[in-house]
Amino acid sequence: MNSTGAAAPASTPSPAAHGRISRRIGAIAESATLAVDAKAKALKAAGRPVIGFGAGEPDFPTPGHIVAAAQEAAADPRNHRYSPSAGLPELRAAIAEATRRTDGIDVDPSQVLVTNGGKQSVYQTFATLLDPGDEVILPAPYWTTYPEAIRLAGAREVPVLAGADQGYLPTIAQLEAARTDATRAVLLCSPSNPTGAVMDREQVAELGRWALEHGIWVISDEIYQHLTYDGAEFTSVLAAVPELADTCVLLNGVAKTFAMTGWRVGWTIGPTDVIAAAANLQSHLTSNVANVSQRAALAALTGPMDAAWEMLEAFDRRRRTIVERLAAIEGMTVPTPRGAFYAFPDVTGILGREIAGTRVETSAELAAAILEHAEVAAVPGEAFGAPGHLRFSYALADADLVEGIDRVAALLAR
């Protein structure tokens, strides 16, 4: 009561007491790969001859028949309207058929959710499966988005680091040591971003059987499945262990195989109840994926693969070139990647040295020195849960790749 006997007005919390940005969103780390790519592009725009090895993005144009399908779709009025949130029925059916044809997995279209790129698939899967207090076993090195999406769901990632000495592939013993009563899921990414490591069929099956035994969900990111080399063969965990069907989610998309990163079409495959719940989330989050992009993805999945195989041949050539050149640099250990389009050298043999007048103690400092003095952009291993490494994407022109690595070699040889 105030002096007049009237009730005192309720106090209004100070905006400063709450903070302008929510703690949940404020805690998100920027995508390191996109940040490096953006910085490289900004320096190039400022006139510096920077060569970027940062973004995992094919440098090829999207194949012509896919672009033509999109142009035709753009002129069709039916694509100017909302469509089902879970995806165009014909695209969901094509994804199911491609999964059956390529992986030998029988999938009903009702088990498919079309998403705005692979990242939305990752985010929605974790949001759908995880509750606060849950844990996800996350083999490291890992893609930068995984831990952020896990934390946004209120859960916690449990990194399991496999180094260059074991080909960046975790053992079941390592995974078992990380398992607790709170373990809800394990993340599988083979072929791997950032290392290019590929699990063989028995390794995939062993992981799947272990997860099945302990009632753990397997979330398998398979977006690099068509990018393998040296006789390495991709194996889907659900093909290796069909009994996982009720506790397994597959993530995929057209971005890497068909040079369609900008079209933003990915998908999630899983049990019908999980897909229905994730589709419900998507109906409130983004509604449907752009119809023209969905029509383009349909053309990619049902059309010829010639252009994709030509790109794969180029990636293989660049892979051999970058491994040879990086391995010749004193202090770098470079396991040969058998998939994706990344080299992930261990650079601990370089740390502690003076480079261009500055002692570098971490891979983040090394990446900064290489960008500043060699004008080459690579992503430091800290972003992938693996300090002491650098990631170089070899999805760039052959001449740029050679010049870029030669610049790095020259800088480190001073």
Side-chain angles (χ1 to χ4, degrees), residues 13-27:
S14 164
H18 182 278
R20 292 177 59 82
I21 308 299
S22 73
R23 287 187 293 272
R24 180 170 51 88
I25 300 302

Side-chain angles (χ1 to χ4, degrees), residues 191-215:
S192 165
N193 175 6
T195 68
V198 181
M199 283 187 170
D200 64 31
R201 188 178 186 86
E202 182 49 42
Q203 289 171 316
V204 171
E206 188 180 20
L207 185 152
R209 290 192 295 266
W210 169 80
L212 184 66
E213 176 186 353
H214 297 292

Side-chain angles (χ1 to χ4, degrees), residues 306-338:
D306 304 42
W309 303 144
E310 288 173 8
M311 287 187 275
L312 179 63
E313 184 178 345
F315 291 144
D316 188 19
R317 180 180 65 248
R318 297 166 180 179
R319 176 184 69 102
R320 287 181 272 110
T321 298
I322 198 169
V323 168
E324 179 184 357
R325 280 180 142 72
L326 287 175
I329 298 175
E330 184 180 354
M332 285 196 183
T333 301
V334 195
T336 301
R338 300 173 69 217

Side-chain angles (χ1 to χ4, degrees), residues 113-126 143 145-146 149 187 219-224 249-256 260-268 282 289:
L113 169 62
V114 182
T115 61
N116 289 277
K119 282 187 177 179
Q120 186 173 25
S121 182
V122 169
Y123 169 82
Q124 290 180 169
T125 297
F126 287 133
W143 183 42
T145 291
Y146 297 142
L187 193 287
I219 301 170
S220 181
D221 188 341
E222 303 182 349
I223 201 162
Y224 294 97
V249 176
L250 310 180
L251 315 177
N252 214 318
V254 294
K256 311 299 183 178
M260 294 179 68
T261 52
W263 296 81
R264 310 313 303 141
V265 182
W267 56 81
T268 310
Q282 183 164 300
V289 175

Side-chain angles (χ1 to χ4, degrees), residues 51 53 315 317-323 325 393-407:
I51 296 176
F53 290 81
F315 291 144
R317 180 180 65 248
R318 297 166 180 179
R319 176 184 69 102
R320 287 181 272 110
T321 298
I322 198 169
V323 168
R325 280 180 142 72
S393 168
Y394 49 86
L396 74 166
D398 296 66
D400 286 343
L401 186 153
V402 170
E403 180 180 348
I405 301 304
D406 283 354
R407 288 185 194 176

Side-chain angles (χ1 to χ4, degrees), residues 286-304:
T286 58
S287 191
N288 62 280
V289 175
N291 295 322
V292 170
S293 289
Q294 290 195 72
R295 299 287 177 191
L298 180 60
L301 292 176
T302 59

